[in-house]
């Protein structure tokens, strides 16, 4: 079992829909990252959070440390949001600088 | 501000040949990471540098992979000899405060081994 599990693996939505991508992890962490990867490989960091909630534009990320769960929400989705969204956790303790990545969620937003 | 620069963007080689990838991190970033990303999977850390010191190379296959960051700025990742299973995207990332800061990723080098 992977230490970081994302769901769903693939998601297709219509433009304007509210989207939720989930991430569950099984290890103690000091921070969780949400990343966006467009075709061609470029990865952009969206959020880094260790508690609560963060919002940037139409993107909202939440984390529940007790439940070891995080969600990424996209409001009013747009075709340009189509990308792979990756959850990554930074483990606590001596391996605290290493990120462990989920396998990603492929999001396709149709016009 | 320039982002993380990687070259080449694409490389196709035959198995058993050597290959090298180059990365120039964001200016002032002391921490540099090399990741390997297989198709449909998340990135996997190969090596992390703090300045010129490799502080985490536990997942680097040392029989064929090597890396260097001689002056604590740009870095080279080498594979010799390459195997079919090495086909992947090799990503470089940098951050300013080690594990405590956001990592900025380069565009990656897509390696195909025939």
């Amino acid at each position: 079992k992977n230490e970081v599990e994302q769901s769903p693996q693939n998601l297709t939505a219509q433009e304007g829909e509210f989207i939720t991508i989930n991430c569950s992890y099984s290890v103690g962490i000091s921070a969780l990252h949400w990343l966006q990867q467009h075709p061609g490989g470029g990865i952009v960091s969206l959020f880094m959070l260790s508690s609560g909630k963060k919002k940037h534009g139409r993107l909202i990320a939440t984390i529940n440390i007790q439940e070891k769960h995080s969600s990424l929400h996209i409001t009013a989705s747009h075709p340009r949001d189509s990308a792979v969204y990756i959850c990554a956790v930074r483990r606590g303790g001596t391996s605290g600088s290493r990120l462990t990545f989920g396998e990603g969620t492929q999001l396709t937003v149709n016009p | 501000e320039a982002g993380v620069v990687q070259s080449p963007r694409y490389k196709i080689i035959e198995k058993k040949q050597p290959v090298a990838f180059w990365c120039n991190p964001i200016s002032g970033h002391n921490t540099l990471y090399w990741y390997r990303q297989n198709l449909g999977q998340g990135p996997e850390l190969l090596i992390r540098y703090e300045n010129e010191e490799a502080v985490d190379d536990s997942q680097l296959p040392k029989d064929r992979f090597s890396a260097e960051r001689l002056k604590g700025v740009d870095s080279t990742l080498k594979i010799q000899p390459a195997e079919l299973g090495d086909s992947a995207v090799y990503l470089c990332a940098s951050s300013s405060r080690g594990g405590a800061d956001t990592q900025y990723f380069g565009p990656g080098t897509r390696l195909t081994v025939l």
Side-chain angles (χ1 to χ4, degrees):
Chain A
K1 188 179 191 300
N2 293 336
E3 292 179 345
V4 181
E5 297 273 355
Q6 288 185 235
S7 63
Q9 285 188 312
N10 294 282
L11 180 57
T12 301
Q14 288 300 122
E15 183 173 358
E17 286 185 359
F18 180 83
I19 289 163
T20 296
I21 300 171
N22 296 299
C23 175
S24 297
Y25 52 92
S26 57
V27 295
I29 70 169
S30 56
L32 182 144
H33 298 250
W34 280 103
L35 309 160
Q36 181 191 56
Q37 186 171 28
H38 280 285
I43 292 179
V44 174
S45 179
L46 299 175
F47 295 104
M48 180 173 66
L49 62 164
S50 54
S51 64
K53 175 179 173 178
K54 286 190 176 181
K55 184 176 189 293
H56 185 250
R58 294 181 295 105
L59 302 179
I60 303 167
T62 64
I63 188 169
N64 185 316
I65 296 295
Q66 287 73 30
E67 295 185 2
K68 292 187 166 62
H69 181 269
S70 175
S71 293
L72 176 69
H73 306 285
I74 305 175
T75 61
S77 59
H78 190 276
R80 64 175 174 266
D81 297 326
S82 298
V84 175
Y85 291 84
I86 303 173
C87 170
V89 300
R90 175 153 47 85
R91 301 179 69 171
T94 57
S95 58
S97 292
R98 180 184 299 182
L99 288 180
T100 302
F101 293 80
E103 295 191 346
T105 294
Q106 172 71 62
L107 171 65
T108 304
V109 182
N110 294 318
Chain B
E1 179 184 280
V4 176
V5 179
Q6 290 188 247
S7 68
R9 291 294 312 278
Y10 303 92
K11 189 74 176 178
I12 301 174
I13 61 172
E14 292 186 330
K15 63 181 181 182
K16 300 184 182 180
Q17 294 301 305
V19 64
F21 314 122
W22 177 79
C23 172
N24 193 24
I26 291 173
S27 178
H29 280 192
N30 298 327
T31 308
L32 184 147
Y33 311 79
W34 281 105
Y35 292 93
R36 176 172 59 191
Q37 185 177 24
N38 293 310
L39 189 64
Q41 297 182 17
E44 172 193 25
L45 179 70
L46 293 174
I47 190 168
R48 175 172 68 94
Y49 283 94
E50 294 289 346
N51 298 304
E52 64 273 11
E53 181 183 0
V55 297
D56 185 352
D57 64 355
S58 57
Q59 299 191 101
L60 187 73
K62 297 182 181 64
D63 56 337
R64 297 182 300 105
F65 286 64
S66 64
E68 60 183 14
R69 192 185 185 200
L70 293 177
K71 296 183 179 178
V73 181
D74 56 347
S75 176
T76 303
L77 177 69
K78 298 178 182 177
I79 309 174
Q80 182 170 10
E83 297 179 352
L84 294 176
D86 296 331
S87 296
V89 174
Y90 291 83
L91 294 162
C92 179
S94 70
S95 65
S96 63
R97 293 191 295 128
D101 204 356
T102 299
Q103 294 182 25
Y104 295 84
F105 286 80
T109 296
R110 182 174 296 277
L111 173 67
T112 302
V113 182
L114 303 175

